[in-house]
Amino acid sequence: MRSNDGSRTGGEVLVDQLIAHGVRQAFCVPGESYLAALDAFHDRDVTLTVCRQEGGAAIMAEAVGKFTGRPGICFTTRGPGATNASAGIHIARQDSSPVIMFVGQVAREAREREAFQEIDFRAVFGSLTKWTTEIDDAARIPEIVSRAFYTATSGRPGPVVVALPEDMLTDRVVVADAPPFEPVETWPGLSDMARLQKLLWAAERPILLVGGSRWSENACAAVMRFAERLALPVATTFRRGHLFDAMHPCYAGDLGIGPNPKLLARIKDADLVIVVGGRLGEIPSQGYTLFDIPGPRTTFVHVHPSAEELGRVYHPHLAIHATPTAFAAVLEGVQPPNEIRWREATPTAHADYLSWTEKPNEQPGTVNFGEVMVWLREHLPADAILCSGAGNFSAWIHRYYRFRRYVTHIGPTSGSMGYGVPAAVAIKRIEPQRTVVCFSGDGDFLMNGQEFATAVQYGLPFVVIVVDNSLYGTIRMHQEREYPGRVVATELKNPDFAAYARAFGGFGVTVDKTADFAAAYAAAERSGQPAIVHLKVDPEAVTPTATLSAIREKALAGKA
Ligand SMILES: Cc1ncc(C[n+]2csc(CCOP(=O)(O)OP(=O)(O)O)c2C)c(N)n1
Ligand SMILES: [Mg+2]
């Protein structure tokens, strides 16, 4: 309840800061530790989505951060809530997504006694976040929350954890709101761009790799225009396929797990590699084998929004400390050389991409997931948003789907299972008019499948495709490679996922033949409810190219 004397509780001041900084959606699992903050949502125009597990709430916040570039917000309770949420905080870190998690904390007077559910947040979250803090004085909420927004978004974005002692939230204070924050852009210098132009003029076989965060629709369009003017081949890095239109004549493909060998060869052979936005982490760098560390032999340009990332792994010939949005905005000033020596190679790179992704291989069993992905690529609207978790099933998405627009793929570059369902809930919540499709493995789905209940509770009609091979398939694949025939802890006995959907109040359908998929998907969409399409694939079909048995036999032959 708001008072008339101009004072507000700590909880009210906190929620008013969220509004001041433009927050319209937050995600939570309630806790008695932050009742006063919950109460402040009662009369305020911020939509609070109540979730079933804090891991789900934190992933929802991360998905909002990834989609909007502004901090996704979640609220959790002390030790048990915050530690449940830690998977989402880790994703925000690895994926460079802005997230602020507010956590209830024991009363100030009880601290350090290991009071009920007390944890030392700075110690527990210190290495996962960009900043972890605790607010001791309600009058400082505007200052600290403002800093949290700047910290989460500036440079390389990431997670911030703010602990809220329970009694601090009920203190009454008279304090002004903070002015609204705006993410800080870092612009490349004129001399940086002149040096980049010089390197391009000297190049024979350049390639641009785009990844990371701090992009926008305009920035992606500017990079596409630049690529067109210079006939420059462009590849996207792991799970950032949406940064460049796959059907653009300069698109050379996706540099993730199991990339097109022709793309890899092209990157290895390039005499100028320009990495924009990403870190070129372990997955896109193919286990750090693509370039020498610290000194790549090819001419290496790194454009990154964080000064700390430049030179961290790769010594760049040219380091440009800039956000991708600012870098893209000044690309118009870069002139092509008189003769573009690589002009002929770029259409070949695109043709190689198209033929690599055109037609799925034959697969064992009656469902070919590759053909399902091709059907979806031909039938989903170009602005449909695909959410996915981690597991081998995602290889078919990366291989056969062709992302055409910015943030049409929301997936964890951190490879965290259980991501898809909560991400789809969050995206459908903020973009209700867009088509949202979630892809989960059978293992992956059950890590946060409980958030399907959240989708039902809020009436969020999206379709989850559960790719069920009755396996922790990725691990089984590695197991067969390293320890052929010695199966341990990788087989799964699964529920009927269509019945699971119905039990939650959604729509469920099972597909065990490729030809039945289109009708099942149409029925799921028509239902107007959250829906699960349970896709039963053969355990042998463990990758788009190799069967389980073939992987085992190859490993056995190698050991013989
Ligand atoms: C949270 C989390 N736990 C464990 C892992 C390790 N892991 C990676 S893939 C995988 C199996 C995925 O199984 P499933 O979702 O069924 O997909 P599949 O590989 O069978 O297609 C596991 C256990 C992980 N990446 N993330
Ligand atoms: Mg599986």
Side-chain angles (χ1 to χ4, degrees), residues 390-394 396 414-418 440-445 447 467 469 471-475 492 542:
N392 268 21
F393 66 93
S394 64
W396 281 266
S414 75
S416 194
M417 290 168 72
S440 303
D442 47 329
D444 174 63
F445 177 82
M447 287 207 178
V467 187
N469 57 4
L471 294 174
Y472 281 134
T474 313
I475 310 308
L492 297 173
V542 78

Side-chain angles (χ1 to χ4, degrees), residues 93-94 96 155-157 277-281 300 302-316 319-321:
R93 171 158 194 115
Q94 288 237 302
S96 311
R156 177 184 169 197
R279 293 183 295 130
L280 205 66
F300 192 85
H302 198 179
V303 183
H304 200 279
S306 164
E308 280 76 28
E309 292 304 324
L310 295 165
R312 176 176 174 173
V313 180
Y314 304 100
H315 173 104
I320 302 184
H321 180 201

Side-chain angles (χ1 to χ4, degrees), residues 30 68 122 210 243 248 281 296 386 404 410 446 519:
T68 64
R122 289 187 179 91
V210 293
L243 293 177
H248 189 284
L386 276 58
R404 310 288 315 264
I410 301 292
L446 279 178

Side-chain angles (χ1 to χ4, degrees), residues 186-387:
T186 312
W187 292 84
L190 282 178
S191 63
D192 291 333
M193 298 312 281
R195 284 176 69 198
L196 177 65
Q197 177 172 293
K198 217 169 149 192
L199 291 175
L200 277 162
W201 286 15
E204 307 261 340
R205 297 173 308 281
I207 192 162
L208 192 75
L209 309 179
V210 293
S213 63
R214 303 213 62 176
W215 288 91
S216 68
E217 207 167 334
N218 282 345
C220 292
V223 170
M224 279 183 243
R225 285 195 303 274
F226 174 69
E228 254 158 60
R229 278 198 302 120
L230 276 82
L232 203 58
V234 179
T236 50
T237 60
F238 186 51
R239 295 204 169 128
R240 306 289 191 183
H242 62 93
L243 293 177
F244 204 88
D245 179 356
M247 297 309 284
H248 189 284
C250 293
Y251 189 56
D254 184 42
L255 180 63
I257 298 173
N260 184 352
K262 288 187 174 168
L263 172 63
L264 268 191
R266 189 162 276 116
I267 296 171
K268 283 185 180 157
D269 186 48
D271 63 347
L272 172 62
V273 174
I274 306 166
V275 176
V276 183
R279 293 183 295 130
L280 205 66
E282 181 169 356
I283 304 270
S285 70
Q286 311 298 306
Y288 300 110
T289 61
L290 215 43
F291 303 110
D292 287 355
I293 295 171
R297 268 178 269 173
T298 185
T299 305
F300 192 85
V301 177
H302 198 179
V303 183
H304 200 279
S306 164
E308 280 76 28
E309 292 304 324
L310 295 165
R312 176 176 174 173
V313 180
Y314 304 100
H315 173 104
H317 295 83
L318 171 60
I320 302 184
H321 180 201
T323 55
T325 35
F327 176 75
V330 298
L331 280 173
E332 267 175 23
V334 177
Q335 298 308 319
N338 287 335
E339 189 207 343
I340 296 180
R341 286 180 285 269
W342 56 85
R343 190 178 280 288
E344 304 297 312
T346 303
T348 311
H350 186 56
D352 287 346
Y353 163 73
L354 290 179
S355 67
W356 173 249
T357 55
E358 188 59 28
K359 212 180 135 31
N361 296 321
E362 296 284 312
Q363 299 267 269
T366 52
V367 171
N368 185 327
F369 184 36
E371 285 175 17
V372 167
M373 286 314 306
V374 168
W375 187 87
L376 288 167
R377 127 183 143 196
E378 284 163 2
H379 289 86
L380 289 181
D383 72 344
I385 301 165
L386 276 58
C387 299

Side-chain angles (χ1 to χ4, degrees), residues 359-503:
K359 212 180 135 31
N361 296 321
E362 296 284 312
Q363 299 267 269
T366 52
V367 171
N368 185 327
F369 184 36
E371 285 175 17
V372 167
M373 286 314 306
V374 168
W375 187 87
L376 288 167
R377 127 183 143 196
E378 284 163 2
H379 289 86
L380 289 181
D383 72 344
I385 301 165
L386 276 58
C387 299
S388 61
N392 268 21
F393 66 93
S394 64
W396 281 266
I397 309 173
H398 300 136
R399 174 88 180 254
Y400 297 113
Y401 200 78
R402 290 171 178 163
F403 295 97
R404 310 288 315 264
R405 303 230 182 123
Y406 178 58
V407 286
T408 50
H409 189 196
I410 301 292
T413 68
S414 75
S416 194
M417 290 168 72
Y419 185 86
V421 176
V425 168
I427 298 300
K428 195 67 189 174
R429 205 90 172 103
I430 59 172
E431 290 288 307
Q433 73 292 358
R434 301 266 292 267
T435 300
V436 174
V437 186
C438 169
F439 294 86
S440 303
D442 47 329
D444 174 63
F445 177 82
L446 279 178
M447 287 207 178
N448 276 314
Q450 77 283 345
E451 301 306 338
F452 193 75
T454 311
V456 171
Q457 179 159 344
Y458 292 97
L460 306 174
F462 59 82
V463 179
V464 187
I465 296 168
V466 179
V467 187
D468 176 8
N469 57 4
S470 304
L471 294 174
Y472 281 134
T474 313
I475 310 308
R476 177 64 172 274
M477 170 189 75
H478 289 296
Q479 199 163 57
E480 295 287 2
R481 274 185 193 148
E482 306 294 328
Y483 304 97
R486 294 170 62 82
V487 177
V488 178
T490 49
E491 294 185 318
L492 297 173
K493 183 168 168 55
N494 282 322
D496 174 340
F497 289 104
Y500 177 107
R502 290 190 288 271

